[in-house]
Amino acid sequence: MATSYFLIAVFLALASSQAIASDPSPLQDFCVADKDSPVKVNGFVCKDPVHVTVDDFFKAAELDKPRNTKGKVGSNVTLINVMQLAGLNTLGISLARIDYAPLGENPPHTHPRATEILTVLEGTLYVGFVTSNPNNTLFTKVLHKGDVFVFPEGLIHFQFNPVHDKPAVALAALSSQNPGVITIANAVFGSKPSISDDILAKAFQVEKGTIDWLQAQFWENNHY
C-alpha cells in the first residue's frame, strides 16, 4: 500500500511540474538580470535592487529601422530578449521585429520555450504552423497590415512575403524572456558535427548524395 501511495505522489508531482512548466513566475516586483553573477540558475540571478536603474528596463530605438534582408532567405529577425534587456528577467515575455524582402521568408522554425503572437505592420504575409504527430495538420493564413496570428508553443511555423515587389514588416511578442529558436533546415543539415548522412537519407527517404549536397550548403542564421 505504501508503494502505491508513493507512486501516486510521484505521478502527481510530475503532472503538476508539467502543468506549470514555463518561465518562472516573479516573486517580487522585478528581478533585473545580474549577468555578471557567477551563480548559475534557470534564468539569471537578481541584481541587488539598490543598484537597479531605469535603464535596466529600457532599450533605445532598436526596432524603428529597416533591417538588412539581403541574405539567402530574405528576412531579418531582431530579437529583444533578456540578453538585450535585463529587466525582462522572470517576466516571461520578449519582442521581435521581423523584416521580409520581397519573396523573403522566415523559414520553418520552432520556439521551444514560447508561444508567439505576430502582427503585420506593413505588407502581406503568408503564415502557417504544423501540428505535432501523428496528424501534422497545416494551418495557414494570408495576413495583411494590422492582422494578428498566433503560433502555439513549440510547433513548427513560418512566414513568407508572397509579394514580389514590396517588403513586409511584422512585430512579434513571445511568452518567454528567452524563447530560443530552432530553424529546422539549419538544425538538421547544418549541425556541428554533421548528423550521419545514413541517418538522414533513411529519415527523408532520399539518396545519400542528396543529403551530402544539402549538408554542404551554407545554412544562414537570420536571427540577430
Side-chain angles (χ1 to χ4, degrees):
M1 182 65 71
T3 301
S4 298
Y5 281 127
F6 174 74
L7 291 175
I8 291 171
V10 170
F11 173 78
L12 291 174
L14 289 172
S16 63
S17 70
Q18 290 299 312
I20 62 173
S22 62
D23 281 13
S25 297
L27 299 176
Q28 57 277 316
D29 288 342
F30 52 77
C31 173
V32 172
D34 183 355
K35 299 174 188 174
D36 297 322
S37 172
V39 179
K40 302 298 181 185
V41 297
N42 183 24
F44 291 96
V45 173
C46 302
K47 181 189 287 190
D48 187 332
V50 173
H51 303 301
V52 171
T53 72
V54 68
D55 287 335
D56 289 315
F57 305 96
F58 172 74
K59 188 74 173 174
E62 279 289 317
L63 302 181
D64 63 324
K65 303 176 183 67
R67 304 293 169 157
N68 182 2
T69 57
K70 294 182 179 179
K72 285 188 174 183
V73 297
S75 68
N76 187 313
V77 180
T78 306
L79 178 65
I80 304 296
N81 64 9
V82 70
M83 301 306 295
Q84 291 82 33
L85 189 57
L88 286 173
N89 193 40
T90 76
L91 298 185
I93 194 169
S94 55
L95 188 69
R97 172 187 170 125
I98 313 167
D99 290 84
Y100 311 83
L103 303 181
E105 69 172 76
N106 190 12
H109 62 281
T110 177
H111 302 292
R113 296 180 289 275
T115 294
E116 175 181 348
I117 185 167
L118 176 144
T119 184
V120 179
L121 300 181
E122 297 291 342
T124 301
L125 290 176
Y126 171 71
V127 306
F129 66 86
V130 180
T131 64
S132 55
N133 298 353
N135 293 334
N136 300 130
T137 304
L138 174 64
F139 290 89
T140 64
K141 191 76 173 176
V142 175
L143 307 182
H144 303 284
K145 184 176 180 178
D147 289 344
V148 176
F149 196 84
V150 64
F151 304 101
E153 181 173 346
L155 297 187
I156 294 172
H157 58 284
F158 61 87
Q159 303 106 34
F160 171 68
N161 179 6
V163 182
H164 76 278
D165 60 351
K166 292 182 180 178
V169 182
L171 193 67
L174 300 107
S175 62
S176 171
Q177 67 182 43
N178 185 24
V181 62
I182 302 170
T183 305
I184 307 306
N186 299 39
V188 173
F189 299 113
S191 67
K192 299 177 181 61
S194 298
I195 300 173
S196 165
D197 56 3
D198 289 312
I199 293 172
L200 294 181
K202 190 173 185 66
F204 287 93
Q205 297 294 291
V206 297
E207 298 294 327
K208 286 202 295 183
T210 301
I211 298 298
D212 294 338
W213 181 84
L214 287 167
Q215 289 180 323
Q217 305 308 303
F218 171 68
W219 295 100
E220 180 182 71
N221 174 30
N222 68 329
H223 287 68
Y224 300 94

